[in-house]
Amino acid sequence: MRLTLVPTTDPRLYDDAVRSLPITSALQGWGYGEARRVLGQLPLRYLIQGQGRTVGALQLLRKRLVPGFAILYAPRGPALESLELLPAVAEAVRKVARPTDALLKIEPPSPIPADDSVPIPETFGPFRRAESEQPEHTILADLTRTEDDLFASLHSMARRNVRTAQKLGVVAGRDDDFEAFWEIFTATNERARLGAFPRAYYETMLREGNAYGGEAYIVLSRYEGKALAGGFFLAMGTGTYYLFGGSVRDDRTHPNGTPYKDVKAPDAFYWNAMLDAKRRGYTLFDFWGIPRRLDETKHSYGVFKMKLKFSEQRVWYPAYDLNLNPAAPAIVKALRWRKTQNNLRKRGSAEDVL
């Protein structure tokens, strides 16, 4: 099928298409692109049309590199009716790309089981497997089951910790307190040396992610009013995605001088975030990012173990590149070098966080 990319400046029309497609992601939504604009990246939105109808939607971020070159990046995209359309998408993008666009990177939002039961494709037509920008390896939870079945499927430690949090009076759910989230998020990033974008990036995503048909929201876990764990979610269609978050330790003491014990606020956060998503009609819960290689000395290993208590459905979201310019291979090497240097500067390690 020959495809045409039809540019659109109508956010509701565009998000309606993204939301309705079977292979889709909230990162293809209009709000995510507006947040990326804060970072100096230019979002370009297209309806993908073939045989007189819309068969996909594509949000490309044009990211300027050295003078004279840029890359086009589809974060967890494109949204499509079928992966069989990807080779035709490549040809359609070639027609709208500028001569200075050196590379197209896509991350098809179609999960592949991590148990080797399904091989990861190395190519889709002219696309070749490449390094992803979003976390390539993650954990999903199927929310179509009953709440009782969901709870029974949790690891025994998670069930015990959730019950403990409930008995101690921990309260978790949607929350409008961005300041509390920001305090948790900042403390977690500093503790783990993860790094973060400017605050305006997250504020823009929260505002714009809610504006045109998707959802952006915060879930916090509180004990006696203090937020101890929480996360930022971006949702679209049937899926919700836990993009940012963390936890802080409770250093308060009881009036009698006894320190507060661990009230299992992170466990309460994860469980109640899943319940909130289920009750609002979402069927897919993406825990967003676990390590490619397990290393017990890294912060990411602890995050992996926590998420694994709530679901064992590990999947891959591989990325693919399409060279648009002869300079593309050199640019890919330069970007990898820059990322390695950034890792060394922030964390003293050349390895990526995940």
Side-chain angles (χ1 to χ4, degrees), residues 60-75:
L60 292 175
L61 304 175
R62 178 171 279 128
K63 302 166 66 173
R64 290 187 175 86
L65 305 174
V66 295
F69 288 107
I71 65 171
L72 298 176
Y73 167 51

Side-chain angles (χ1 to χ4, degrees), residues 1 3-4 47-56 81 85:
M1 182 188 300
L3 301 179
T4 303
L47 298 179
I48 304 174
Q49 295 189 344
Q51 297 179 344
R53 61 189 185 89
T54 297
V55 297
E81 282 189 352
L85 297 173

Side-chain angles (χ1 to χ4, degrees), residues 25-46:
S25 165
L27 272 65
Q28 280 291 288
W30 194 279
Y32 187 81
E34 291 307 296
R36 285 282 174 161
R37 194 189 295 274
V38 174
L39 306 180
Q41 300 171 13
L42 177 65
L44 308 166
R45 288 89 171 200
Y46 302 92

Side-chain angles (χ1 to χ4, degrees), residues 28 46 56 65 74 77 97 107 121 150 160-161 184 191 202 206-207 245 272 299:
Q28 280 291 288
Y46 302 92
L65 305 174
E107 296 166 340
L150 274 176
R160 182 168 62 250
N161 289 349
I184 290 170
R191 183 172 70 243
Y202 307 93
L206 185 61
R207 181 182 66 252
N272 283 279
H299 167 80

Side-chain angles (χ1 to χ4, degrees), residues 141-188:
D142 176 6
L143 302 183
T144 61
R145 295 169 289 175
T146 67
E147 290 187 15
D148 288 343
D149 286 344
L150 274 176
F151 191 74
S153 71
L154 305 185
H155 188 278
S156 59
M157 184 180 295
R159 296 197 302 270
R160 182 168 62 250
N161 289 349
V162 168
R163 291 190 183 106
T164 296
Q166 291 172 339
K167 290 178 181 177
L168 292 174
V170 175
V171 177
R174 291 207 183 189
D175 203 302
D176 294 331
D177 191 347
F178 183 85
E179 292 298 332
F181 159 76
W182 189 248
E183 179 182 347
I184 290 170
F185 182 54
T186 301
T188 300

